[in-house]
């Protein structure tokens, strides 16, 4: 999306005199005992003022200000509970009102309601009405205000609405932390939605925190990063130009580089704290007093920046939450790409293709169609949607979460084109690899299918074509850019800081299945629980795909039950039948790993069948699933258990299959093509 830049707009006029302002202050809930509080506040204020005067007298002019910038901030000496509800935010008065527009975003300090008038002389007021008026003078109509302050005391949001302006509150603590990723996602979504809805009349978005620098800058930079091809340095500079000195908290700047996996260039410096902020309020140590909501202490940069000591598990929740509406729109895109028609709002189910268990009957399919095999990676299933403003993992519950990844487009001959993929839909398994040399654990997304590329559905194309496109269009451009990062559009990007690695899954000719089973799988650096047989010419079939076959090691054939414990520790096992719970009478589970059954009541448990004891064994709790298997899946698993296709039987059968003429010819051709490709790569 291209957002017109309006960086040369003229500076704003000074705030005008008060024109009968319309706000009443909102009384903060926590100030319950007003009289007591006001006396305490008065005393504290007087004491602080005395200390400030003393410091001003005793210290040379620049002394304390230097220390403000260089020393780590200490805890405030005043209990913030005693803040006067009409106290001006420190530095607010001298802080410039608003910056120049960045596209349609106008960064601003918080406008204050009329209850603040006693503290502000006419001529220095900046109320909601004045904001609207000032922007009108500059030819801008406001349509949306995004309020990032962490309080409701500054003005009444309903006053914006009375003027026909939408108000969105995204409360962000300014102290001790950068805005959290979910708030950032909400901000970017709100702005994008606002842009996309107003086709003709372009209205502007006022974004404010308390002073319109750090939180406002942080959010604006995120928006620029996701809506345009920019580096973090460029985006920070754009904000700096529009609202000097821009973001002036070092940790906010570091968090932005960390979030977008970019190396910070050596010549990037954090601006000094502006004069209006430094001289506003000083505490006993000569440091700037924090506002109750804004400013302050030690900021934690994104976790990517820190050395991680976490233990990786397949059940970890990956990525950041995003607004529900955004998920709903992306669900519809998936349904559309998979040609499923529109899913009922809020009711859509995970549409990914699902294999069926191999039995003696469907084993015959291998003789009728041309198949390849691959190991059945045992991690967590995710589809992935890459869009220009982010990359989203889609779990089995059809929930979307954002992960910070980069998927560049293939370079055209002209070397121009869009920078990254937009609306490309993939399918795969997230596994945890243990690196053989160091035993270090690393997450890897093994992609095995490509269903849409840049918004074009390709599900009807044969699998072999989709799989080749996956390599050419998605994997190769990433690898190339990674290799030649210094020549890329963003030489500061660091793929090694992404939350997981990415690879295309390999598929093996059926003639090499013994090697796959006995040589390759045992050496894999992640778990595998069987094989997948993939029809080489098959389309992508959403939901159950009767032609996509899974073979599991016999002891790993499993069913996911909904488990419940009722009175007197009676176990109940449920499956689903036409979307409703179905009690599986006569089934019983053993908990050989010492789990307490009563604690698992209400959970989905994955069980394998012990044919000697005629009982189910609980293997694990499926935290990634909210519904049990369907009765039909259960029947297929039971059939596969009964048919008992052992490794031996399987290898024997496939040995026969690959001698069939249809296989023999294609295998010969494919082998030649593979070796040509490999020798081409080696050259
Ligand atoms: N289609 C396909 N699926 C694979 C592949 N490798 C691993 N899988 C996984 O195999 C799963 C299907 O096997 P099941 O045994 O039915 O599923 P599960 O592992 O118990 O988990 P559920 O998906 O919850 O049923 C898919 O959902 C994928 O997560 C692959 O190469 N192709």
């Amino acid at each position: 999306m291209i957002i017109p830049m309006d960086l040369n707009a003229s500076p704003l006029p000074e705030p005008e005199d008060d024109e009968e302002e319309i706000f009443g202050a909102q009384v903060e809930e926590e100030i319950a005992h007003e009289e007591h509080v006001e006396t305490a506040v008065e005393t504290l204020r007087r004491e602080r003022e005395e200390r400030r005067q003393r410091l001003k007298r005793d210290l040379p002019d620049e002394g304390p200000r230097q220390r403000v910038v260089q020393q780590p901030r200490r805890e405030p000496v005043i209990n913030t509970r005693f803040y006067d509800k009409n106290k001006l935010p420190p530095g607010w008065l001298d802080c410039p009102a608003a910056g120049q527009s960045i596209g349609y975003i106008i960064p601003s300090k918080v406008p204050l309601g009329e209850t603040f008038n006693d503290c502000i002389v006419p001529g220095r007021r900046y109320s909601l009405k004045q904001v609207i008026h000032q922007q009108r003078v500059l030819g801008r109509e406001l349509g949306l205000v995004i309020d990032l302050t962490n309080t409701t005391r500054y003005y009444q949001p309903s006053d914006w609405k009375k003027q026909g302006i939408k108000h969105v509150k995204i409360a962000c603590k300014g102290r001790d932390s950068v805005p959290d990723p979910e708030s950032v996602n909400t901000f970017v979504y709100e702005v994008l939605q606002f842009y996309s809805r107003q086709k003709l009349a372009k209205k502007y978005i006022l974004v404010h925190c308390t002073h319109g620098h750090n939180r406002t800058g942080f959010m604006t930079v995120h928006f620029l990063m996701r809506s345009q091809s920019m580096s973090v340095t460029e985006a920070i500079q754009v904000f700096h130009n529009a609202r000097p000195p821009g973001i002036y908290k070092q940790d906010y700047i570091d968090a932005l580089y960390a979030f977008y996996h970019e190396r910070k260039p050596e010549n990037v410096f954090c601006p000094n704290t502006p004069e209006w902020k430094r001289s506003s309020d000083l505490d006993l140590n000569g440091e700037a007093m924090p506002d109750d909501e804004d400013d302050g202490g030690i900021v934690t940069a994104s976790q990517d920046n820190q050395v991680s000591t976490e233990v990786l598990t397949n059940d970890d929740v990956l990525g950041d939450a995003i607004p529900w509406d955004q998920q709903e729109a992306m669900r519809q895109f998936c349904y559309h790409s998979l040609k499923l028609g529109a899913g009922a709002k809020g009711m859509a189910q995970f549409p990914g293709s699902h294999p069926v268990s191999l039995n003696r009957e469907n084993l015959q399919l291998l003789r009728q169609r041309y198949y390849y095999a691959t190991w059945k990676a045992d991690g967590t299933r995710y589809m992935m949607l890459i869009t220009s403003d982010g990359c989203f993992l889609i779990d089995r519950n059809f929930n979307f979460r954002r992960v910070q990844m980069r998927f560049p487009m293939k370079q055209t001959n002209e070397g121009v084109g869009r920078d990254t993929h937009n609306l490309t839909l993939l399918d795969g398994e997230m596994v945890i690899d243990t690196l053989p040399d160091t035993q270090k654990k690393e997450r890897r997304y093994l992609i095995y299918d490509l269903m849409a590329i840049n918004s074009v559905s390709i599900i009807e194309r044969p699998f072999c074509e989709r799989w080749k496109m996956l390599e050419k269009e998605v994997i190769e451009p990433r690898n190339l850019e990674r290799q030649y990062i210094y020549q890329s559009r963003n030489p500061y990007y660091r793929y090694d800081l992404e939350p997981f690695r990415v690879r295309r899954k390999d598929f093996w000719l059926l003639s090499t299945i013994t090697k796959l089973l006995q040589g390759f799988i045992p050496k894999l650096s992640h778990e595998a629980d069987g094989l997948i047989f993939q029809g080489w010419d098959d389309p992508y079939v959403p939901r159950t795909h009767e032609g996509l076959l899974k073979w599991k090691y016999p002891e790993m054939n499993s069913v996911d039950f909904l488990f419940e414990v009722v009175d007197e520790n009676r176990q109940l096992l449920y499956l689903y039948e036409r979307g409703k719970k179905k009690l599986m009478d006569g089934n019983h589970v053993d908990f050989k790993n010492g789990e307490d059954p009563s604690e698992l009541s209400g959970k989905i448990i994955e069980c394998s069948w012990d044919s000697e004891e005629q009982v189910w064994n609980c293997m694990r709790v499926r935290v990634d699933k909210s519904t049990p298997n369907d009765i039909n899946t259960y029947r297929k698993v039971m059939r596969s258990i009964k048919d008992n296709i052992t490794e031996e039987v399987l290898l024997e059968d496939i040995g026969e299959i690959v001698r069939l003429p249809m296989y023999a010819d294609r295998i010969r051709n494919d082998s030649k093509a593979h070796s040509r490709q490999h020798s081409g790569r080696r050259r």
Side-chain angles (χ1 to χ4, degrees):
M1 180 188 303
I2 305 296
I3 296 155
M5 289 290 175
D6 183 16
L7 301 182
N8 299 322
S10 56
L12 289 175
E14 274 297 293
E16 287 187 359
D17 275 4
D18 184 21
E19 326 161 353
E20 31 118 33
E21 290 181 347
I22 48 172
F23 304 102
Q26 191 147 334
V27 180
E28 282 194 288
E29 276 175 15
E30 65 183 75
I31 306 176
H33 313 291
E34 289 224 325
E35 278 188 4
H36 164 73
V37 172
E38 265 164 28
T39 321
V41 167
E42 215 20 72
T43 313
L44 286 166
R45 206 192 274 148
R46 205 184 49 245
E47 286 174 6
R48 206 174 67 222
E49 185 52 30
E50 282 168 15
R51 278 198 301 272
R52 204 153 79 92
Q53 293 304 334
R54 253 198 330 269
L55 274 164
K56 271 195 168 167
R57 261 199 328 268
D58 298 347
L59 290 167
D61 232 25
E62 288 304 310
R65 290 176 193 164
Q66 284 298 328
R67 293 221 310 274
V68 170
V69 180
Q70 287 167 4
Q71 288 201 352
R73 193 172 299 287
R74 282 165 221 171
E75 278 307 300
V77 289
I78 288 189
N79 182 343
T80 53
R81 274 169 42 77
F82 293 125
Y83 266 92
D84 180 347
K85 64 183 187 298
N86 285 333
K87 175 183 176 290
L88 293 184
W92 182 91
L93 208 53
D94 295 322
C95 171
Q100 295 175 19
S101 64
I102 301 163
Y104 287 94
I105 290 178
I106 302 163
S108 167
K109 69 179 179 183
V110 61
L112 296 177
E114 69 175 7
T115 52
F116 287 83
N117 284 359
D118 289 349
C119 318
I120 318 169
V121 292
R124 303 198 69 190
R125 290 177 187 155
Y126 184 59
S127 70
L128 176 148
K129 271 201 155 181
Q130 285 160 333
V131 175
I132 297 172
H133 178 73
Q134 283 179 6
Q135 294 304 326
R136 252 188 214 140
V137 169
L138 294 167
R140 301 171 189 154
E141 278 301 315
L142 292 183
L144 172 66
V145 170
I146 302 184
D147 169 1
L148 305 173
T149 62
N150 197 32
T151 179
T152 51
R153 79 180 175 100
Y154 293 139
Y155 59 73
Q156 294 211 11
S158 56
D159 292 327
W160 290 114
K161 285 177 203 145
K162 282 183 206 149
Q163 303 290 326
I165 297 166
K166 188 180 169 192
H167 176 268
V168 171
K169 177 95 190 168
I170 307 174
C172 300
K173 271 204 282 182
R175 299 201 59 218
D176 300 337
S177 57
V178 294
D180 62 78
E182 189 174 352
S183 301
V184 172
N185 292 342
T186 307
F187 177 86
V188 174
Y189 181 67
E190 287 292 343
V191 176
L192 286 176
Q193 280 300 98
F194 183 77
Y195 275 180
S196 67
R197 281 202 192 118
Q198 45 159 2
K199 296 271 180 293
L200 295 170
K202 293 289 183 210
K203 291 193 174 171
Y204 284 75
I205 306 170
L206 189 89
V207 180
H208 76 76
C209 47
T210 308
H211 300 98
H213 280 270
N214 291 313
R215 281 168 288 181
T216 299
F218 190 78
M219 293 298 204
T220 307
V221 168
H222 271 288
F223 175 74
L224 290 172
M225 289 302 294
R226 296 179 192 193
S227 58
Q228 306 196 16
S229 284
M230 272 192 194
S231 67
V232 173
T233 310
E234 285 164 341
I236 287 176
Q237 187 63 42
V238 167
F239 185 74
H240 167 96
N241 293 347
R243 178 98 175 125
I247 300 174
Y248 57 81
K249 280 186 185 171
Q250 179 75 56
D251 294 325
Y252 271 53
I253 290 176
D254 291 347
L256 283 165
Y257 281 99
F259 187 93
Y260 288 101
H261 313 312
E262 282 189 27
R263 196 158 44 83
K264 191 167 78 176
E266 271 155 24
N267 58 358
V268 169
F269 295 105
C270 179
N272 285 335
T273 304
E275 185 61 25
W276 47 259
K277 186 70 187 287
R278 283 195 274 162
S279 56
S280 58
D281 254 325
L282 301 177
D283 71 9
L284 259 183
N285 303 310
E287 294 184 353
M289 288 296 298
D291 187 6
D292 45 356
E293 302 83 14
D294 191 22
D295 199 17
I298 301 131
V299 181
T300 45
S302 152
Q303 286 185 351
D304 295 329
N305 213 14
Q306 296 154 15
V307 180
S308 164
T309 50
E310 59 173 337
V311 179
L312 305 186
T313 75
N314 282 323
D315 295 333
D316 292 339
V317 178
L318 305 181
D320 304 321
I322 58 166
W324 182 255
D325 286 357
Q326 187 179 9
Q327 294 198 48
E328 207 42 45
M330 291 196 285
R331 284 190 192 107
Q332 293 306 325
F333 173 78
C334 292
Y335 264 50
H336 179 74
S337 301
L338 302 179
K339 315 228 159 146
L340 283 169
K345 205 163 190 261
M347 301 291 288
Q349 289 170 349
F350 182 75
S353 186
H354 204 86
V356 296
S357 300
L358 193 70
N359 56 44
R360 291 196 188 253
E361 190 184 328
N362 60 20
L363 182 60
Q364 299 313 314
L365 283 177
L366 295 184
R367 296 172 185 270
Q368 294 156 15
R369 305 191 212 159
Y370 187 60
Y371 273 87
Y372 266 59
T374 181
W375 71 101
K376 187 169 173 303
D378 194 12
T380 310
R381 167 81 174 275
Y382 290 103
M383 296 202 297
M384 187 196 263
L385 180 63
I386 309 167
T387 74
S388 55
D389 56 314
C391 181
F392 301 87
L393 286 179
I394 309 168
D395 69 17
R396 288 294 310 265
N397 293 321
F398 212 15
N399 287 327
F400 291 64
R401 293 179 77 89
R402 188 181 188 283
V403 281
Q404 186 55 41
M405 302 285 294
R406 181 170 165 79
F407 284 92
M409 292 277 288
K410 191 168 79 178
Q411 288 296 306
T412 57
N413 284 343
E414 297 83 38
V416 288
R418 213 184 34 246
D419 189 21
T420 57
H421 278 261
N422 185 27
L423 297 173
T424 291
L425 185 62
L426 308 159
D427 206 347
E429 187 88 356
M430 188 74 72
V431 295
I432 298 173
D433 270 332
T434 307
L435 303 186
D437 305 342
T438 56
Q439 296 301 299
K440 200 178 144 232
K441 307 249 183 230
E442 224 174 55
R443 253 182 246 284
R444 193 181 303 277
Y445 185 52
L446 298 175
I447 309 177
Y448 49 74
D449 219 323
L450 169 65
M451 294 86 85
I453 180 145
N454 294 310
S455 83
V456 179
S457 169
I458 54 165
I459 61 164
E460 275 144 12
R461 297 208 194 178
F463 176 79
C464 53
E465 245 181 65
R466 303 197 305 273
W467 188 65
K468 277 180 200 144
M469 279 176 87
L470 173 58
E471 183 67 18
K472 288 271 160 254
E473 306 285 337
V474 181
I475 304 292
E476 260 181 30
R478 249 178 83 88
N479 291 346
L480 263 177
E481 187 177 271
R482 202 177 166 160
Q483 209 176 338
Y484 300 106
I485 193 76
Y486 292 104
Q487 295 167 18
S488 79
R489 288 193 194 199
N490 187 350
Y492 294 101
Y493 190 75
R494 287 190 50 187
Y495 279 98
D496 59 319
L497 294 181
E498 289 183 342
F500 48 85
R501 315 258 162 272
V502 173
R503 184 177 290 170
R504 182 182 69 158
K505 201 153 182 258
D506 279 332
F507 284 76
W508 295 55
L509 289 164
L510 283 199
S511 53
T512 60
I513 191 132
T514 311
K515 215 161 137 195
L516 168 64
L517 259 176
Q518 297 172 357
F520 182 79
I521 293 183
K523 288 201 198 121
L524 271 174
S525 44
H526 55 261
E527 306 278 322
D529 59 351
L531 294 174
I532 295 278
F533 292 99
Q534 169 73 56
W536 208 231
D537 306 314
D538 276 2
Y540 185 92
V541 178
R543 310 249 167 81
T544 305
H545 178 8
E546 299 288 344
L548 182 63
L549 306 172
K550 64 176 177 191
W551 173 85
K552 284 197 184 182
Y553 293 102
E555 70 281 7
M556 286 183 159
N557 261 312
S558 61
V559 175
D560 300 332
F561 290 104
L562 168 62
F563 177 71
E564 283 180 11
V565 179
V566 288
D567 37 76
E568 291 168 19
N569 288 338
R570 203 156 62 88
Q571 289 188 4
L572 299 179
L573 291 179
Y574 292 96
L575 292 172
Y576 258 28
E577 187 172 35
R578 284 186 224 100
K580 291 209 176 94
K581 272 164 73 178
K582 179 181 172 58
L583 183 64
M584 299 302 287
D585 262 336
N587 283 277
H588 190 82
V589 190
D590 264 3
F591 293 91
K592 295 224 164 81
N593 301 328
E595 301 97 331
D596 175 0
S598 61
E599 282 189 4
L600 302 184
S601 187
K603 305 227 158 103
I604 306 291
I605 55 170
E606 183 175 353
C607 302
S608 60
W609 180 244
D610 182 339
S611 26
E612 270 178 29
E613 305 264 330
Q614 293 288 298
V615 74
W616 291 102
N617 281 328
C618 175
M619 298 162 77
R620 61 174 176 143
V621 178
R622 295 293 304 254
V623 288
D624 59 326
K625 291 185 76 176
S626 55
T627 53
N629 278 144
D630 188 82
I631 186 83
N632 288 320
T633 309
Y634 166 84
R635 288 189 186 121
K636 282 172 192 155
V637 174
M638 292 314 284
R639 165 90 195 263
S640 155
I641 292 171
K642 193 165 101 321
D643 283 2
N644 193 23
I645 303 179
T646 58
E647 186 170 329
E648 219 180 356
V649 173
L650 185 72
L651 292 181
E652 205 172 295
D653 245 61
I654 289 180
E656 274 176 29
I657 290 169
V658 293
R659 285 199 291 276
L660 296 171
M662 182 254 288
Y663 267 91
D665 290 350
R666 281 190 77 170
I667 286 176
R668 206 175 308 116
N669 288 341
D670 284 1
S671 307
K672 275 189 202 152
H674 287 312
S675 33
R676 267 201 308 274
Q677 221 176 31
H678 281 288
S679 61
R681 262 193 221 144
R682 274 198 295 273
R683 254 183 267 131

